[in-house]
Amino acid sequence: MAKKSTLVLTHRPRRLRRQPSRRALVEETVIRAADLIAPLFVVDGKGAPEPIGSMPGVNRFNITDLVKECQELYDLGVPAVALFPKLDASLKDATGTEALNPKTLILRAVRAVKQAVPGLSIITDVALDPYTSHGHDGVLNAALDDVENDRTVAILCEMAVMQAEAGVDFVAPSDMMDGRVGAIRQALDAAGYTDTAILAYSAKYNSAYYGPFRDAVGSAKAAGTRLLSKATYQMNPANRREAIREVLLDVAEGADVVMVKPAGLYLDIIREVRNATNLPVAAYQISGEYAQIHAAAKLGWLDLARCRDESLLAIKRAGADMILTYFAKEVAQKLKV
Ligand code: PBG
């Protein structure tokens, strides 16, 4: 005989949580390796992997090691990587000239990865910050107090075409200039790259959590400050409706995938974007989100694996179809066993 209960309840939601098998049956959100995109940093030369202090477990790889890492990710079922170059400071100048060098590091890296792991999708950023001495995503105006939109877009179009030529699957404008998605689409099509897709950083916020990434690509150091303000082009964290405006513009201009960035602090935006478009939605769990979890775990204050998994689940549950995350490899490894 079942024991008599005191409350007379029609609904007892806990019934479905009674044991693991019941919980499994009613689980709504599942993370697959195929949902993940691994951001990877590349450096020139033949040096050993360079650890990034503020991003435990993340390294800058030389091209040979990058190719190996990409092969491992692909074998683990991770379908895509987002590649970021870290350039020597001597290659940076005010207009980011190196970005248009046909032999620049990122293009050599893309070719090497494409050749070795052709099935893996490659995503590359279209923005000038790894190339400029001031660390901004574009070229500055005459007064040197703002990034000049249209002149920057013209350079981004050239960058995108060169990346497409090198074989990337997605170009990812991360600069937040107005009109760049449409201009890049036209430039790609005019050059014959109608199959190169655009993953648009559509709602990219002016976040304080990009700090570790700027260490990784050296853009903060170039600018001489970790507090570089990108407030005239990246979005104000206070704004929600504006994110939808930005997303709908990018959709109209020809984006194939729209992105929200950062992810964990912007779950409401991910959900709004999910509801506003039928395009796939990407979310970028950025360097500061990753660093926070690691820092708290190192102090013994949070459990790394559980926080990692919960953070990714929350992003997917909010509506993201794909997640850029520095946890991609370890999560894919865990899913494989
Ligand atoms: C630059 C770019 C940034 C990131 C990706 N592309 C930083 C920035 O806008 O300053 C951040 C990624 C991260 O923090 O993990 N265009």
Side-chain angles (χ1 to χ4, degrees), residues 30-38 78-82 121 123 170 172 197-200 256-263 270 274 278-285 312 315-325 328:
V30 180
I31 296 281
R32 311 169 302 157
D35 301 324
L36 307 176
I37 298 169
V78 174
V81 293
S121 280
I123 301 165
F170 294 83
I198 299 178
L199 165 56
D256 296 282
V257 181
V258 291
M259 177 146 72
V260 175
K261 177 186 176 189
I270 295 174
R274 169 70 293 145
N278 287 324
L279 287 192
V281 176
Y284 197 146
Q285 182 182 51
L312 293 171
I315 294 164
K316 188 159 180 203
R317 190 195 63 230
D321 299 288
M322 58 191 98
I323 306 172
L324 287 90
T325 172

Side-chain angles (χ1 to χ4, degrees), residues 156-168:
L156 299 179
C157 287
E158 287 188 61
M159 266 180 99
V161 170
M162 291 171 82
Q163 293 173 355
E165 202 264 322
V168 304

Side-chain angles (χ1 to χ4, degrees), residues 39 41 55 84 125-130 135 137 173-175 201 204-205 207 209-214 217 219 228 230 233-234 261 284-288 326:
F41 300 102
M55 301 176 74
F84 298 96
D125 251 37
V126 184
L128 287 177
D129 54 302
D137 290 27
S174 65
D175 56 293
Y201 285 72
K204 176 169 177 178
Y205 285 88
S207 174
Y209 292 74
Y210 299 142
F213 175 94
R214 292 180 189 171
V217 300
S219 66
L228 179 69
K230 299 190 176 181
Y233 44 106
Q234 298 180 348
K261 177 186 176 189
Y284 197 146
Q285 182 182 51
I286 60 158
S287 56
Y326 301 97

Side-chain angles (χ1 to χ4, degrees), residues 139-148 151:
V139 292
L140 301 182
N141 61 10
L144 301 181
D145 66 355
D146 198 2
V147 169
E148 211 171 284
R151 205 151 60 91

Side-chain angles (χ1 to χ4, degrees), residues 216-283:
V217 300
S219 66
K221 196 139 144 255
T225 170
R226 303 186 77 216
L227 301 175
L228 179 69
S229 172
K230 299 190 176 181
T232 68
Y233 44 106
Q234 298 180 348
M235 281 182 48
N236 181 345
N239 293 357
R240 185 164 53 87
R241 294 190 310 264
E242 191 184 358
I244 305 307
R245 183 178 187 217
E246 284 282 6
V247 163
L248 294 180
L249 279 171
D250 286 357
V251 172
E253 289 177 32
D256 296 282
V257 181
V258 291
M259 177 146 72
V260 175
K261 177 186 176 189
L265 292 158
Y266 294 82
L267 297 178
D268 57 329
I269 308 297
I270 295 174
R271 172 49 49 182
E272 293 264 359
V273 169
R274 169 70 293 145
N275 292 342
T277 173
N278 287 324
L279 287 192
V281 176

